[in-house]
């Protein structure tokens, strides 16, 4: 049972003089610590189970080493501490292969380093810029004679005439510094702008942005190796539809932030975000999975604020004055300068320090929809969402999901009908009810004034269609599983009569029976059930049953206990040898083992070799 969280009250009493927020947030800290304890306990339980499974397979009489790769798997996959693995191994008289563990850890670090070196920043649908190349060139640019900073005008315009101050070309990329620019540089979660730099008769696509010493650098595609000269006049043009989509998502992020705090609690604050044209992402501390009801409440609150038609405005203020604004959000105060930009989305709802770009009125956002909620670290949750045109793409994705579910349902219904037809040979089968799902119909001809309502109705329609199909799929899957089990019982009962015939035709080897034969079985479970029945009736002997399961040859071998003990016969070795004759392999426990192979045509010949294979394993 968790217990550490009970100490939070005592810590708060002792430390609240220096850290008054401990008292204010005591209940939240208790919940987080308790959730951490519960998570660690679950890790321990899973780790103990895997540890015991590994130990059970070690022949302690011959080996005293706990495999390093298993210790690594426990650590890397399940978060099980290596020192705990070592301690438990020592209690069993084992020593962890730390050399192998360290080797695997180093390989993991190397993979992480390689992933970092190969990191590519995708800034356009079909364009990527190597981070390493970009960083090298940006560092080498000589900016010593330039003005103190670049003039960013992107809050007010998306096009700007400017002079080229610096230009560098490398590997079909150009790096341009302009006297002024409307292009936003990635910051605060908002991604870079893209667009073009227009020359006389030429457009250079801007695919990424960078910043060095307050100078804004445009990364452009330059396959023709054009050379820009200092003082040359150009026009910088931001991709307007893309920027507008980013602005919608950025303003929505502010609304989401406040809605999360009002629904989940004041402990919520931004721990990471992404504001892209196709979606927004928001990371925040929270001690539990967000419930469906809470997600609905957050969505509803955000959409209600959007539909209020709130005028968004900004103010640039000294930071000390800005700090005093009621309810202002500034969780990363040490990153701000002496003057800050404050974004107001209804001063009674959302006021935040922010240098990003935003819509002028909340109604420009359109509909807001949360698409996922997940955990990204212990005590940290993530939600992803879409707005505007992103809603249309989301609806298309969900309609595709409906199509996939329809295909899945069709396969399930076909399987169900096939099983019912076969089952009808043994009993009377009641005609089943088939799902009646219909075709979803979405209104794509939306008037501008009713765009929000139409999108909302389309989303509701498609989500209900998905829910209906998932429920039908779950119901039919359960029914299909029941039919398989029932049909299997009838098959086993029917084929079971052949067992006595096979025993009657058994060969005798060293005083015990050897039985082999081909039977009809729908799957391996049926074959194993029949083999168990054969073992029970053998008394003393070896039995091998073969069948075609799917498009593979399958075997099950059984050996009675007396032969395991006295003759040292093992089902796994016998069936493994037979499986070689059908191009396969297998194994299992001494009393029952399974095998299979791809050469179905060799199944009967392999079964005929059962007696000779058994003789080859007899000892003494």
């Amino acid at each position: 049972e968790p217990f550490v969280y009970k100490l939070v009250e005592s810590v708060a009493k002792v430390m609240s003089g220096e850290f008054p927020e401990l008292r204010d947030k005591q209940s939240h800290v208790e919940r987080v610590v308790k959730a951490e304890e519960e998570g660690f306990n679950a890790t321990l339980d899973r780790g103990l189970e895997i540890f015991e499974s590994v130990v059970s397979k070690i022949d302690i009489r011959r080996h005293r080493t706990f495999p390093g790769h298993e210790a690594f798997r426990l650590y890397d996959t399940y978060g099980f501490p290596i020192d705990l693995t070592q301690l438990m191994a020592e209690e069993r008289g084992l020593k962890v292969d730390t050399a192998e563990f360290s080797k695997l850890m180093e390989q993991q670090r190397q993979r992480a380093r390689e992933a970092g070196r190969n990191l590519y920043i995708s800034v356009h649908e079909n364009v990527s810029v190597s981070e390493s190349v970009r960083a090298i060139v940006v560092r080498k640019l000589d900016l010593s004679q330039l003005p103190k900073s670049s003039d960013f005008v992107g809050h007010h315009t998306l096009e700007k005439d400017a002079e080229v101050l610096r230009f560098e070309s490398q590997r079909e990329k150009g790096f341009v510094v302009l006297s002024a620019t409307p292009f936003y540089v990635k910051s605060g979660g908002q991604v870079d702008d893209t667009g073009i730099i227009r020359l006389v008769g030429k457009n250079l696509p801007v695919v990424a942005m960078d910043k060095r010493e307050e100078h804004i650098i445009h990364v452009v595609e330059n396959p023709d190796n054009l050379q820009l000269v200092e003082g040359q006049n150009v026009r910088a043009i931001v991709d307007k539809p893309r920027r507008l989509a980013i602005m919608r998502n950025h303003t929505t992020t502010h609304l989401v932030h406040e809605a999360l705090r009002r629904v989940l609690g004041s402990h919520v604050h931004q721990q990471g975000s992404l504001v892209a044209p196709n979606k927004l992402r928001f990371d925040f501390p929270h001690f539990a999975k967000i419930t469906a009801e809470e997600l609905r409440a957050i969505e509803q609150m955000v959409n209600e604020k959007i539909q209020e038609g709130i005028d968004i405005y900004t103010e640039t203020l000294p930071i000390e004055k800005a700090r005093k604004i009621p309810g202002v959000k500034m969780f990363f105060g040490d990153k701000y300068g002496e003057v800050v930009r404050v974004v107001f989305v209804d001063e009674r709802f959302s006021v935040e320090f922010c240098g990003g770009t935003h819509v002028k009125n909340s109604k420009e956002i359109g509909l807001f929809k949360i698409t996922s909620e997940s955990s990204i670290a212990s005590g940290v949750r993530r939600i992803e969402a879409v707005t505007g045109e992103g809603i249309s793409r989301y609806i298309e994705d969900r309609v595709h999901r409906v199509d996939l579910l329809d295909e899945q349902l069709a396969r399930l219904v076909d399987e169900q009908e096939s099983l019912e037809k076969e089952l009808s040979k043994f009993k009377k089968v009641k005609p089943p009810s088939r799902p009646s799902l219909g075709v979803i119909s979405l209104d794509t001809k939306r008037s501008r004034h009713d765009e929000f309502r139409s999108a909302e109705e389309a989303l509701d329609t498609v989500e209900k269609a998905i829910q209906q199909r998932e429920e039908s799929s779950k119901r039919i899957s359960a029914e299909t599983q029941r039919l398989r089990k029932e049909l299997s019982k009838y098959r086993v009962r029917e084929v079971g009569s052949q067992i006595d015939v096979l025993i009657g035709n058994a060969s005798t080897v060293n005083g015990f029976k050897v039985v082999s034969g081909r039977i009809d079985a729908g799957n391996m479970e049926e074959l194993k059930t029949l083999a168990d029945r054969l073992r029970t009736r053998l008394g003393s002997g070896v039995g091998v049953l073969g069948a075609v399961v799917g498009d593979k040859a399958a075997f099950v071998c059984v050996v009675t206990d007396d032969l395991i003990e006295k003759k040292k016969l093992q089902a796994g070795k016998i069936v493994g040898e037979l499986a070689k004759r059908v191009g396969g392999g297998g194994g299992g426990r001494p009393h029952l083992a399974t095998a299979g192979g791809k050469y179905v045509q060799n199944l009967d010949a392999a079964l005929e070799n059962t007696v000779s294979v058994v003789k080859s394993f007899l000892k003494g």
Side-chain angles (χ1 to χ4, degrees), residues 100 205 346 520:
E100 184 185 20
D346 183 347
D520 293 324

Side-chain angles (χ1 to χ4, degrees), residues 558-575:
V558 291
V559 179
T560 54
D561 292 338
D562 61 315
L563 299 183
I564 296 171
E565 183 179 352
K566 295 176 182 178
K567 303 292 186 181
K568 307 303 180 185
L569 291 175
Q570 294 191 15
K573 292 182 178 180
I574 294 169
V575 81

Side-chain angles (χ1 to χ4, degrees), residues 337-357:
E338 294 183 3
V339 177
V340 295
R341 182 170 179 267
V342 186
V343 177
F344 295 81
V345 189
D346 183 347
E347 61 270 15
R348 295 167 301 176
F349 191 81
S350 173
V351 182
E352 288 195 37
F353 289 9
C354 179
T357 61

Side-chain angles (χ1 to χ4, degrees), residues 175-464:
F175 298 81
V176 188
V177 180
L178 301 177
S179 57
T181 181
F183 283 84
Y184 185 85
V185 182
K186 180 179 179 181
S187 178
Q190 180 173 329
V191 299
D192 294 336
D193 277 332
T194 61
I196 59 172
I197 292 178
R198 179 169 292 166
L199 320 176
V200 178
K202 283 283 185 180
N203 290 332
L204 292 178
V206 177
V207 295
M209 302 296 297
D210 215 319
K211 198 169 188 178
R212 180 180 147 211
E213 300 170 5
E214 301 303 314
H215 295 293
I216 297 173
I217 302 165
H218 307 72
V219 183
V220 300
E221 287 289 322
N222 190 20
D224 298 329
N225 198 28
L226 294 176
Q227 296 299 309
L228 279 67
V229 296
E230 295 178 12
Q232 181 176 355
N233 291 318
V234 297
R235 187 167 183 81
I237 305 172
V238 172
D239 182 334
K240 184 175 180 180
R242 185 176 182 275
R243 164 69 89 80
L244 293 178
I246 292 171
M247 290 162 61
R248 285 194 293 267
N249 284 338
H250 203 152
T251 304
T252 304
T253 299
H254 286 213
L255 295 173
V256 168
H257 193 170
E258 181 59 25
L260 284 166
R261 289 171 63 82
R262 296 196 180 196
V263 174
L264 302 180
S266 60
H267 63 278
V268 170
H269 62 268
Q270 179 179 320
Q271 286 196 329
S273 68
L274 172 69
V275 180
N278 60 326
K279 68 177 180 179
L280 65 92
R281 188 176 71 211
F282 193 84
D283 303 337
F284 56 95
H286 192 55
F287 46 83
K289 179 178 174 61
I290 304 177
T291 66
E293 291 75 16
E294 288 168 336
L295 287 173
R296 280 194 292 270
I298 294 162
E299 274 189 358
Q300 182 177 349
M301 188 177 295
V302 172
N303 278 316
E304 285 176 354
K305 298 306 292 186
I306 288 171
Q307 287 306 296
E308 284 180 18
I310 302 165
D311 288 326
I312 288 85
Y313 66 94
T314 64
E315 290 185 7
T316 302
L317 302 168
I319 191 167
E320 291 306 317
K321 183 177 180 180
R323 288 179 192 272
K324 297 176 183 178
I325 299 173
V328 68
K329 298 184 186 71
M330 45 157 299
F331 294 100
F332 306 103
D334 59 326
K335 293 187 177 181
Y336 297 108
E338 294 183 3
V339 177
V340 295
R341 182 170 179 267
V342 186
V343 177
F344 295 81
V345 189
D346 183 347
E347 61 270 15
R348 295 167 301 176
F349 191 81
S350 173
V351 182
E352 288 195 37
F353 289 9
C354 179
T357 61
H358 293 268
V359 297
K360 294 180 180 179
N361 185 282
S362 61
K363 277 202 171 183
E364 295 173 31
I365 295 169
L367 184 63
F368 164 76
K369 175 66 180 176
I370 296 174
T371 57
S372 71
E373 186 275 338
S374 61
S375 170
I376 60 166
S378 180
V380 181
R381 310 299 299 182
R382 167 175 290 174
I383 64 169
E384 296 190 11
V386 291
T387 66
E389 290 302 313
I391 291 287
S392 299
R393 288 189 291 271
Y394 178 74
I395 291 174
E396 289 173 6
D397 290 342
R398 299 303 277 170
V399 170
H400 181 58
R401 170 71 176 155
V402 171
D403 293 339
L404 292 176
L405 286 171
D406 282 343
E407 291 174 9
Q408 177 183 321
L409 273 170
R411 290 192 297 269
L412 284 171
V413 168
D414 287 344
E415 183 182 5
Q416 182 182 6
E417 289 177 345
S418 177
L419 290 169
E420 287 165 347
K421 184 177 180 180
E422 193 168 349
L423 189 60
S424 66
K425 299 174 184 177
F426 302 101
K427 60 175 283 189
K428 186 175 181 180
V429 178
K430 183 181 178 181
S433 59
R434 298 287 180 255
S436 178
L437 303 174
V439 178
I440 60 172
S441 177
L442 303 179
D443 179 15
T444 57
K445 296 179 180 179
R446 299 176 294 178
S447 59
R448 181 67 184 171
H449 72 277
D450 200 30
E451 187 173 2
F452 179 91
R453 185 61 56 201
S454 295
E456 191 174 40
E457 290 173 355
L459 263 176
D460 185 58
T461 298
V462 76
E463 293 298 344
K464 284 180 179 178

Side-chain angles (χ1 to χ4, degrees), residues 517-522 527 545-549 552-556 603 607:
R518 177 170 176 167
I519 61 172
D520 293 324
L527 198 58
L545 298 180
V548 176
V549 176
K552 301 287 179 65
F555 299 97
V556 177
L603 176 61
L607 289 168

